[in-house]
Amino acid sequence: MKSYRLLLTFVLVFSFQKVYVQSHFDIVFPRSANERNQKCKSCFETFKNKPKGVKFSIKRDGNNLYFEVNDKDWFNKLFATEGDGMAIDLVTKSKYDCSIDSIENKQIRGRLMRPLYGSLLRKA
């Protein structure tokens, strides 16, 4: 079987310095685990069925963040519809300091970056 390896790199944010106000943008967070499991089913399935050789990561280059993936087909499954996108929650190391007894249980733990959607990511 012919192996297709393609490194796709997408800029996720303009700059760490340009984000001043915390916002959830247009992201709607499910209120319960059951609602999350229903609404996020296709995403969970895509990750569950990710081929063994597929690698992905978030990389930092200066003030820019990039989503890198080595498989175009898997990328297209992950961002199959116009509403599929990604946002990054930037969390400081101090938030997870070993001396802290407990961590707040909330959806966003740091600074949420503006989401980018499949249609824009495919153009990059």
Side-chain angles (χ1 to χ4, degrees), residues 12-30:
L12 292 176
V13 294
F14 298 110
S15 169
F16 293 133
Q17 300 166 351
K18 293 183 181 180
V19 180
Y20 297 104
V21 178
Q22 179 65 11
S23 170
H24 290 160
F25 304 101
D26 59 347
I27 299 171
V28 178
F29 297 99

Side-chain angles (χ1 to χ4, degrees), residues 50-69:
K50 180 180 69 66
K52 200 170 194 163
V54 173
K55 305 291 184 208
F56 66 94
S57 64
I58 304 297
K59 302 281 183 166
R60 180 178 167 198
D61 181 17
N63 287 333
N64 295 317
L65 296 175
Y66 298 89
F67 175 64
E68 293 182 347
V69 62

Side-chain angles (χ1 to χ4, degrees), residues 28-65:
V28 178
F29 297 99
R31 296 180 187 262
S32 69
N34 187 41
E35 183 182 355
R36 182 187 66 237
N37 290 338
Q38 288 176 349
K39 290 189 176 195
C40 301
K41 185 177 181 177
S42 65
C43 181
F44 291 156
E45 286 294 317
T46 302
F47 276 95
K48 181 180 173 184
N49 296 319
K50 180 180 69 66
K52 200 170 194 163
V54 173
K55 305 291 184 208
F56 66 94
S57 64
I58 304 297
K59 302 281 183 166
R60 180 178 167 198
D61 181 17
N63 287 333
N64 295 317
L65 296 175

Side-chain angles (χ1 to χ4, degrees), residues 4-8 53-56 68-72:
Y4 293 99
R5 290 207 177 259
L6 179 62
L7 179 63
L8 300 174
V54 173
K55 305 291 184 208
F56 66 94
E68 293 182 347
V69 62
N70 66 343
D71 187 287
K72 186 176 182 177

Side-chain angles (χ1 to χ4, degrees), residues 90-106:
L90 293 175
V91 182
T92 62
K93 287 182 183 181
S94 63
K95 185 81 171 183
Y96 294 100
D97 187 339
C98 294
S99 65
I100 297 174
D101 290 333
S102 65
I103 297 171
E104 294 177 46
N105 186 18
K106 62 181 188 175

